[in-house]
Amino acid sequence: MAKVPVQFTLNGSEKAEFIESGTTLLHALRDKIGDMSPKGACHQGTCGACSVIIDGELRLSCLTLAETCNGAAIRTTAGLAEGGVLHPLQRAFLDAFATQCGFCTPGMIMAAKVLLDRTPNPSREAVVEALSGNICRCTGYEPIIQAVLTAARANSQNAA
Amino acid sequence: MSLALQTFSSVKDANAALQAAGTRYLGGGTLVVRAANEGDVSVSRLVRVTDPGLSQIAVSGGKIRLGASVTMAAIARHPELAALAPAARAVGGPAIRNMATVGGNLFAPAPYGDFAVALLALDATVVTEDGELPIETFLAGRDTSRAVVTAVSLSMPKTESFRFLKISRVKPKGISVLSIAALMQRTADGTVTSARIALGCMADRPMRAKAAERALLGCKLTPEEIAPALAAAGEGISPITDPIASAWYRAEVLPVHLGRLLLA
Ligand SMILES: Cc1cc2nc3c(=O)[nH]c(=O)nc-3n(C[C@H](O)[C@H](O)[C@H](O)COP(=O)(O)OP(=O)(O)OC[C@H]3O[C@@H](n4cnc5c(N)ncnc54)[C@H](O)[C@@H]3O)c2cc1C
Ligand code: FES
Ligand code: FES
């Protein structure tokens, strides 16, 4: 099948690839570009492990065709740490033991990031709502909710 | 994967491309791409339209026009669409709502189609290049519809006359056991003068509870007066069975939830 060009920024750097038409963004990111942070679990939109941020909005990369992302700004968990220093959300997930097998973690962190970008000081209910499309089989969710609330507090202290 | 995507700037060209066998329109992709991921080979080509008009929301003179590519998230956060927000927020989780479109929801088979249930109660009009259809007629013929839906239009409901309820087992996000939308006009003393009630999961697509609508006329919304409407709610339904609930269960709880909605 004829290949089609796609071009977008991934965590701020330009990417251009030739892909087969109909390729999902998840497949393009992992198998073409080599960003392994979005995880493929259900490929049905149910688990949220493949969540990425496209133009500031949370999306499921398993249900997004890569061609529809031409010109977009895509962010993944792999781009969060700066100069070897973990993002406050990553730090909080580690400290709160909010990651066990880790498979859900990048998706959880993406969902939490869009929340904190818009609502720096969210209520517990807002955190639960923001993570409601993401499934975790290990932690029982409570440590994840606590980690997001902790990261939010760390953010607002830095800002103060 | 043998799926190819064709992108058009105009609806007209997309309509022509949609005539080919195995071709389907791509909205947000939450159902069609999922089907392809699952191994559904009945679709080999997807068609999409980039016309920005399809993503527009227009509210003026008591009328709402939602472009077919408008997402549930865009409706939920729109300051003038508070009446529709509960139905839009009922769809999926945050990422799904950022992708799921109005157009796609019109085609979503039960247990999906929560937003279409609201549109059915609101007597929306479905717009294609061939013309406009009342949503009830559109839903009945949707399996053979080959034209791109470009928009839906509807009258802005008064907040107090429109009610929506979705029942699911997982909070805050879950698939419908059922959903109900009701548009009712009432006199100053609370007597119902008109009622349109739409149900989700009570058939393979949203349907009206016409017997219950008739039974409500002239009633006040009290437990005694709505009893005949609740008894009639199940007329003509054939609920779906899926991992969430059996048809039997859905039929049993329908009058209970309709009662709660009417008495709320
Ligand atoms: C995890 C998950 C949870 C979900 N939860 C819910 C829920 O709670 N409630 C609910 O109602 N739905 C739910 N859905 C189903 C789905 O996301 C929604 O119904 C959504 O609105 C479908 O829209 P879409 O744009 O993604 O459709 P697509 O997948 O793009 O399209 C669906 C169908 O409609 C056709 N179509 C789409 N747009 C047009 C158009 N403009 N003209 C002509 N044909 C068109 C397509 O060809 C296709 O056949 C869920 C889906 C997933 C994966
Ligand atoms: S892999 Fe995309 S939602 Fe599960
Ligand atoms: S840490 Fe294992 S799935 Fe969440």
Side-chain angles (χ1 to χ4, degrees):
Chain A
M1 199 183 298
K3 299 218 168 175
V4 292
V6 286
Q7 203 178 355
F8 47 73
T9 66
L10 177 63
N11 299 319
S13 62
E14 291 279 347
K15 300 285 171 196
E17 288 287 337
F18 284 99
I19 56 160
E20 277 175 25
S21 185
T23 301
T24 63
L25 179 63
L26 176 65
H27 185 61
L29 288 176
R30 290 180 59 89
D31 304 326
K32 286 281 175 184
I33 295 173
D35 181 346
M36 296 304 201
S37 65
K39 306 294 178 203
C42 70
H43 300 272
Q44 297 202 2
T46 331
C47 74
C50 66
S51 300
V52 299
I53 301 173
I54 303 180
D55 292 335
E57 288 198 334
L58 191 70
R59 304 257 178 158
L60 301 170
S61 62
C62 72
L63 299 182
T64 302
L65 298 188
E67 290 148 86
T68 63
C69 299
N70 261 316
I74 300 174
R75 302 218 156 253
T76 66
T77 300
L80 284 183
E82 274 178 42
V85 180
L86 293 182
H87 185 275
L89 271 168
Q90 292 172 304
R91 187 78 258 156
F93 267 63
L94 275 180
D95 292 346
F97 199 42
T99 179
Q100 290 184 26
C101 80
F103 210 76
C104 71
T105 309
M108 288 286 180
I109 288 185
M110 287 289 100
K113 179 157 190 325
V114 284
L115 171 71
L116 297 190
D117 285 349
R118 284 180 198 174
T119 317
N121 231 327
S123 64
R124 186 191 154 84
E125 291 68 42
V127 174
V128 171
E129 168 65 36
L131 301 179
S132 62
N134 296 68
I135 292 176
C136 176
R137 304 305 305 269
C138 302
T139 64
Y141 299 101
E142 199 49 43
I144 299 179
I145 297 165
Q146 290 310 325
V148 178
L149 289 170
T150 304
R153 275 197 298 275
N155 271 345
S156 49
Q157 272 159 17
N158 287 347
Chain B
M1 195 191 331
S2 58
L3 197 65
L5 175 68
Q6 279 185 301
T7 300
F8 297 98
S9 53
S10 86
V11 173
K12 189 162 172 287
D13 294 342
N15 275 330
L18 274 175
Q19 303 309 312
T23 306
R24 204 83 73 74
Y25 188 76
L26 173 70
T30 58
L31 291 172
V32 270
V33 177
R34 180 167 76 161
N37 286 349
E38 257 179 337
D40 179 347
V41 290
S42 69
V43 179
S44 54
R45 204 147 50 122
L46 291 174
V47 161
R48 74 174 179 140
V49 177
T50 51
D51 180 351
L54 293 185
S55 303
Q56 267 166 20
I57 297 176
V59 184
S60 75
K63 280 277 179 192
I64 304 171
R65 187 182 166 97
L66 304 172
S69 304
V70 167
T71 62
M72 296 300 133
I75 295 168
R77 66 172 170 250
H78 195 285
E80 290 176 281
L81 298 181
L84 299 181
R89 265 198 297 272
V91 174
I96 289 286
R97 285 196 288 278
N98 285 336
M99 304 171 72
T101 66
V102 170
N105 211 264
L106 291 173
F107 288 88
Y112 301 133
D114 296 315
F115 192 73
V117 169
L119 291 176
L120 177 58
L122 293 166
D123 200 10
T125 301
V126 178
V127 186
T128 67
E129 289 230 307
D130 299 335
E132 305 193 344
L133 284 179
I135 185 168
E136 205 170 354
T137 317
F138 172 83
L139 287 171
R142 74 178 182 186
D143 299 343
T144 52
S145 160
R146 304 293 290 167
V148 179
V149 171
T150 54
V152 297
S153 62
L154 60 148
S155 299
M156 175 76 80
K158 292 206 185 68
T159 327
E160 65 278 12
S161 61
F162 183 61
R163 300 176 184 189
F164 178 85
L165 178 70
K166 168 171 167 172
I167 301 302
S168 55
R169 293 183 165 177
V170 184
K171 299 265 162 19
K173 175 207 101 127
I175 288 164
S176 274
V177 170
L178 56 84
S179 51
I180 311 175
L183 181 69
M184 290 178 290
Q185 311 300 335
R186 289 189 290 158
T187 58
D189 76 346
T191 308
V192 176
T193 53
S194 79
R196 240 180 109 96
I197 300 173
L199 308 174
C201 297
M202 293 298 145
D204 67 345
R205 65 198 72 196
M207 64 173 283
R208 278 174 71 186
K210 291 190 179 168
E213 290 172 0
R214 280 193 299 274
L216 272 180
L217 295 180
C219 293
K220 294 209 176 73
L221 299 181
T222 63
E224 298 71 33
E225 294 198 24
I226 66 167
L230 301 191
E235 220 167 273
I237 62 169
S238 75
I240 59 160
T241 288
D242 67 1
I244 304 293
S246 64
W248 175 85
Y249 178 80
R250 285 185 159 106
E252 286 295 310
V253 299
L254 170 62
V256 177
H257 292 299
L258 179 59
R260 287 178 191 166
L261 179 79
L262 294 175
L263 297 174

